[in-house]
Amino acid sequence: MASRNGQFDFDFIIIGSGFGGSVSAHRLTEKGYRVAVMEMGRRWNPTDLPRTSWFIHRWFWRPKLGLRGFFNMRLFRHVTIFHGCAVGGGSITYAATLLPPPEKVWESGSWSGLADWKTEMPRHFDTASGMLGILENKILGPADRLLQKTAADCGCGHTFYPTRVGIFQPRDGEPGSQTFPDPFFGGEGPERTTCTSCGGCIMGCRYGAKNTLDLNYLFLAEKRGAQVFPETKVVNVRPLNGASDGSSGYEVHTVRSTAWLRRQPRRFTCRAVVFSASSLGTMELLFHLKENGSLPAISAQLGKQVRTNSESIIGARVPGCREDLSQGIAIGSGIYLDENTHIEAVRYPSGSDTMGFLTTFLTDGRPGSQRIVLWLKNVLASLLLHPIKTLRLVRPWGWAREAVILLCMQALDEQIEMSWRRPWFWPFKKFLVSSGDKVPTYIPKANEFAKKFAQVAGGAAMSTLPEILFDVPGTAHCIGGCVIADSPARGVVDDHHRVFGYKNMFICDGSVVAANLGVNPSLTITALAERAMSFIPPAVETAVADRAAD
Ligand SMILES: Cc1cc2nc3c(=O)[nH]c(=O)nc-3n(C[C@H](O)[C@H](O)[C@H](O)COP(=O)(O)OP(=O)(O)OC[C@H]3O[C@@H](n4cnc5c(N)ncnc54)[C@H](O)[C@@H]3O)c2cc1C
């Protein structure tokens, strides 16, 4: 029989072009494989990105409503999940803060003991850091200075740190917006422009200063021949030729994600598949494929151990603030309230005020009806006593210039579960549904810190409305659901990211993470994908092994 290489459209098909997917594409093309990347979202150029979040059709992703942006928000009973959707995955909308997790994360969760993580991971973190161009943030804005001062007043000033960011910053004393030939990959990468401190990272960098995946891993992969299919959603993955374990390859079915009617179904074949559709996307696709009989042997642990990084989003607003609080880098600095409680100062660029609709007066108290009553009381009292100040606090206009979000993350092991069910309100179709114990939305010491921050800034502390009204925390850091473990009884993939029950099938994205990291997860996802790809032999060795098997 001829080499199996020639039998398939591609050697590897990668589903999703985020951190896990882009690392996989780059390393696999480097090893000589023919690679395709299927990406549901659009390809963006800096000049196409929306100026502010008011351009909702170019910011938000809901293609059936004509919204074809790069940012998505999904509501569940236990959590609101914010995530990215674009060529480059979450990197187009992310704040580019790239922090390593504390070492203790390797000792908890189902991955503990499966590898010598503490010895192995540092070199993969180093590789990932170099590829993502991580440097300490030198652009501290007014929001960072407020964070530093508040931390000092609260007795934790020594924990203040400028974040490590994947942003091309100007050299000391030089202005931003200067274009240079590729500064990262010895001339192999694209030219880049230095950061202007506009605080716009989360709305997509319009200057090409943020080190998004389409400017590093994915750029290099495409240069080596990887084919990226944008606006292409994978809807089915099936083993080929009756080999139910996938040892004869897979067929991958796609449709056009942005089309309403003519969805242009296509079929591709490949020797191996990498699921990199993010924690939420991979869970959703695998549940669907397990249910429709395409991949019935996926572990029953699918959807278990989903973690939200135990986050709470609070903040402060300073109506009429003389300084523009949106200036700087989206997440410029952080502090630790204690060993497990980490707070970062986050901002949106001036004019991106729509998130202001989600913020309201900070309200303490046990979640539930008591907290809602307390919130109503606070709103009414404030309206009666300071009507003008109250209206200035709640109007969305000017929100980004006047507000700082305090993102609180805890390295505590809270978990929820996702399953595939028909919800009572829509019995016609199955969806991802969350269950389990609720992750706390009220972190008392974080609220106290927000009050102090508001006092230092001369404004008012803020909570988010879904946390108060529905007791639902928000997170941009959903991880887990297909965790690394020693067996299908405890997880979905092994420590080489191979899916239990199938051959030549891998998962490389946030879904494999098996512990709450307590920091933003993208660097860990990148380093884990680097490690997983390091176990895959070069294409020539695979071809030789295939010939021997034939
Ligand atoms: C506003 C915001 C700010 C953030 N800031 C930070 C930060 O500063 N630092 C940090 O570490 N993290 C940050 N994050 C989180 C970070 O974006 C994610 O942790 C990271 O992108 C996850 O990587 P991933 O490889 O798991 O998947 P992703 O990067 O999410 O990529 C998955 C891709 O798969 C695609 N996909 C899904 N399903 C399919 C399908 N069926 N077919 C084809 N394609 C599919 C999606 O469109 C998506 O592009 C932020 C997130 C948000 C929303």
Side-chain angles (χ1 to χ4, degrees):
M1 195 157 80
S3 155
R4 288 185 193 184
N5 235 10
Q7 290 178 357
F8 305 114
D9 297 331
F10 297 97
D11 297 323
F12 278 82
I13 290 186
I14 299 170
I15 305 170
S17 63
F19 289 86
S22 294
V23 172
S24 306
H26 174 49
R27 295 301 171 206
L28 290 169
T29 48
E30 232 180 17
K31 287 177 192 237
Y33 291 104
R34 296 171 308 130
V35 172
V37 182
M38 306 297 170
E39 170 53 57
M40 182 164 84
R42 285 170 61 187
R43 196 189 274 277
W44 293 87
N45 289 315
T47 45
D48 306 332
L49 289 159
R51 236 175 337 105
T52 71
S53 60
W54 291 105
F55 295 86
I56 289 200
H57 62 293
R58 281 199 281 142
W59 176 45
F60 217 83
W61 174 256
R62 215 36 115 246
K64 286 193 175 148
L65 300 178
L67 310 178
R68 294 177 184 164
F70 49 83
F71 172 77
N72 202 349
M73 185 162 102
R74 298 277 299 274
L75 306 175
F76 295 92
R77 205 159 73 84
H78 292 70
V79 65
T80 303
I81 297 174
F82 307 105
H83 60 108
C85 170
V87 172
S91 77
I92 303 301
T93 191
Y94 89 143
T97 296
L98 293 155
L99 305 175
E103 275 203 338
K104 66 177 182 185
V105 301
W106 306 113
E107 287 155 14
S108 62
S110 55
W111 58 18
S112 132
L114 291 187
D116 187 358
W117 300 106
K118 286 189 197 168
T119 311
E120 279 187 49
M121 288 309 292
R123 70 170 182 277
H124 299 299
F125 275 109
D126 285 349
T127 310
S129 301
M131 290 294 297
L132 295 172
I134 305 176
L135 286 175
E136 184 175 285
N137 172 26
K138 292 184 286 181
I139 306 171
L140 292 179
D144 304 303
R145 290 191 285 275
L146 285 171
L147 184 72
Q148 185 168 25
K149 179 153 188 346
T150 312
D153 289 0
C154 292
C156 54
H158 60 287
T159 67
F160 175 86
Y161 68 91
T163 43
R164 292 186 65 75
V165 289
I167 292 191
F168 182 39
Q169 302 175 58
R171 281 191 288 254
D172 289 339
E174 285 185 6
S177 206
Q178 309 283 312
T179 301
F180 293 89
D182 168 36
F184 293 111
F185 305 106
E188 238 204 297
E191 66 175 26
R192 301 294 305 280
T193 301
T194 51
C195 176
T196 62
S197 322
C198 71
C201 323
I202 290 179
M203 289 306 302
C205 179
R206 301 176 64 239
Y207 303 92
K210 185 166 71 160
N211 301 344
T212 47
L213 295 162
D214 53 338
L215 300 176
N216 43 59
Y217 279 108
L218 204 56
F219 181 92
L220 298 176
E222 287 195 84
K223 221 172 161 181
R224 289 211 169 85
Q227 279 189 52
V228 178
F229 294 78
E231 300 176 47
T232 302
K233 181 176 181 177
V234 172
V235 290
N236 206 354
V237 177
R238 258 199 315 244
L240 276 173
N241 303 332
S244 60
D245 63 355
S247 51
S248 295
Y250 295 92
E251 57 181 354
V252 173
H253 294 254
T254 66
V255 294
R256 197 167 164 77
S257 60
T258 42
W260 237 123
L261 294 173
R262 295 186 55 217
R263 302 208 76 194
Q264 302 167 22
R266 293 181 74 181
R267 174 183 177 272
F268 301 87
T269 59
C270 59
R271 183 179 188 280
V273 181
V274 184
F275 286 83
S276 297
S278 81
S279 168
L280 205 56
T282 293
M283 275 192 283
E284 196 156 44
L285 186 55
L286 286 181
F287 267 121
H288 171 62
L289 301 183
K290 188 171 165 66
E291 165 99 1
N292 76 359
S294 293
L295 299 176
I298 296 288
S299 159
Q301 291 296 305
L302 176 62
K304 305 242 165 51
Q305 300 184 55
V306 177
R307 293 170 166 98
T308 65
N309 238 359
S310 297
E311 288 181 2
S312 171
I313 296 173
I314 43 184
R317 181 166 182 178
V318 190
C321 185
R322 270 184 286 129
E323 286 189 289
D324 179 353
L325 297 180
S326 70
Q327 287 291 300
I329 279 178
I331 301 182
S333 57
I335 56 123
Y336 281 86
L337 288 181
D338 62 36
E339 190 200 350
N340 289 317
T341 313
H342 176 197
I343 292 189
E344 291 173 345
V346 186
R347 69 219 80 184
Y348 274 76
S350 185
S352 288
D353 299 326
T354 51
M355 282 307 236
F357 287 112
L358 291 183
T359 55
T360 183
F361 294 85
L362 185 90
T363 307
D364 290 332
R366 208 149 46 87
S369 52
Q370 275 178 8
R371 197 171 181 202
I372 298 175
V373 171
L374 189 62
W375 169 71
L376 278 172
K377 224 168 85 186
N378 286 348
V379 175
L380 284 177
S382 180
L383 262 176
L384 287 174
L385 295 174
H386 315 286
I388 302 210
K389 188 175 160 208
T390 309
L391 292 176
R392 289 177 72 196
L393 270 173
V394 294
R395 76 193 161 125
W397 294 274
W399 177 85
R401 275 192 87 261
E402 299 175 348
V404 178
I405 294 174
L406 298 171
L407 172 61
C408 176
M409 293 171 256
Q410 291 198 301
L412 301 175
D413 200 21
E414 314 280 355
Q415 299 176 23
I416 57 170
E417 192 178 323
M418 292 283 184
S419 48
W420 192 240
R421 278 191 263 142
R422 288 176 210 282
W424 59 266
F425 56 86
W426 191 257
F428 313 105
K429 200 175 159 200
K430 289 194 174 178
F431 293 94
L432 273 185
V433 176
S434 64
S435 59
D437 290 337
K438 283 216 158 173
V439 179
T441 53
Y442 170 46
I443 302 172
K445 59 174 68 165
N447 273 26
E448 287 313 309
F449 187 82
K451 285 181 206 165
K452 188 76 195 171
F453 187 100
Q455 199 186 345
V456 170
M462 313 295 287
S463 293
T464 53
L465 270 174
E467 291 194 359
I468 291 176
L469 296 183
F470 312 115
D471 185 22
V472 173
T475 182
H477 300 148
C478 178
I479 46 181
C482 302
V483 296
I484 294 175
D486 58 357
S487 69
R490 297 187 67 217
V492 176
V493 293
D494 69 9
D495 71 305
H496 286 200
H497 298 226
R498 294 173 292 211
V499 177
F500 292 122
Y502 291 93
K503 296 269 192 313
N504 302 324
M505 183 186 282
F506 305 84
I507 303 181
C508 283
D509 59 21
S511 69
V512 302
V513 177
N516 247 350
L517 303 173
V519 292
N520 324 56
S522 302
L523 179 60
T524 307
I525 296 168
T526 309
L528 282 169
E530 285 279 10
R531 179 178 174 276
M533 288 300 119
S534 72
F535 298 120
I536 296 194
V540 277
E541 284 178 29
T542 305
V544 170
D546 280 352
R547 271 197 296 273
D550 295 341

